[in-house]
Amino acid sequence: LENIKSYIKIQQVRYPGRFDVAYHIEEGILKEHTLKLILQPLVENALKHGYLPGMEIRIAVSVGERISVTVSDTGSGMKTETAAAINAQWQGAHSEALPAFGIGLSYVIRSLHEFFSEDCFFEVQSEEQKGTTFLIEMPKQKGAGYYAENSDH
């Protein structure tokens, strides 16, 4: 979480007053380990491709049996076909022939699939001129080995 907060601070210095951010982070999440740099490409996508003046980016992370992550924005959204193609990329993430949606988004999809395979959920919902929401649900990880070394805290 510190990575995404730092990234957003940098963007707010570069573009003061152009967007707002709201965090809804459950306290228990700080004890959990997860992949690094999963949130940053999603926020970058909102700012680079969905920017509208005064937009809000919301980041919500909750933990129960699993870790749930939501990154949403009130930006320009994306075409229905684009959202459908991204969701199709997730469904076919085991394939070597992935369509290109940029380095960041492809990285998120491939990383989630490689680390969690079928035990992870990823979906993008979007409506033009209303915004985009990325939904991720992943299993909790034990704090040892590779996952501990790649935690966000």
Side-chain angles (χ1 to χ4, degrees):
L1 291 174
E2 292 307 314
N3 287 341
I4 191 59
K5 288 179 180 180
S6 296
Y7 173 79
I8 288 171
K9 281 181 187 177
I10 291 168
Q11 297 308 313
Q12 287 177 321
V13 168
R14 287 181 70 192
Y15 308 108
R18 292 189 180 180
F19 66 95
D20 293 316
V21 178
Y23 296 97
H24 303 283
I25 311 295
E26 283 187 8
E27 196 171 305
I29 194 66
L30 297 178
K31 294 184 254 178
E32 299 299 327
H33 296 278
T34 188
L35 301 175
K36 280 189 175 185
L37 300 177
I38 294 299
L39 298 176
Q40 186 267 333
L42 303 179
V43 171
E44 183 178 3
N45 188 75
L47 293 173
K48 185 174 182 182
H49 302 291
Y51 174 77
L52 284 177
M55 70 185 280
E56 181 181 60
I57 298 171
R58 293 178 300 278
I59 300 169
V61 184
S62 62
V63 63
E65 293 289 318
R66 299 169 61 79
I67 297 170
S68 297
V69 177
T70 304
V71 177
S72 59
D73 66 70
T74 59
S76 64
M78 61 180 78
K79 293 179 181 178
T80 303
E81 301 82 29
T82 303
I86 293 168
N87 289 328
Q89 181 179 4
W90 167 255
Q91 295 300 319
H94 60 281
S95 169
E96 291 300 315
L98 294 175
F101 286 106
I103 294 169
L105 190 52
S106 293
Y107 165 81
V108 170
I109 291 170
R110 190 175 296 276
S111 294
L112 289 170
H113 196 274
E114 286 179 3
F115 277 44
F116 302 117
S117 191
E118 302 301 317
D119 197 21
C120 185
F121 174 81
F122 174 93
E123 182 179 67
V124 60
Q125 301 169 350
S126 190
E127 190 172 341
E128 288 186 86
Q129 301 308 311
K130 292 197 176 180
T132 300
T133 299
F134 288 96
L135 305 166
I136 300 171
E137 187 179 285
M138 63 189 105
K140 292 183 191 179
Q141 296 300 310
K142 303 285 185 211
Y146 189 80
Y147 295 105
E149 293 170 13
N150 286 289
S151 67
D152 274 339
H153 54 89

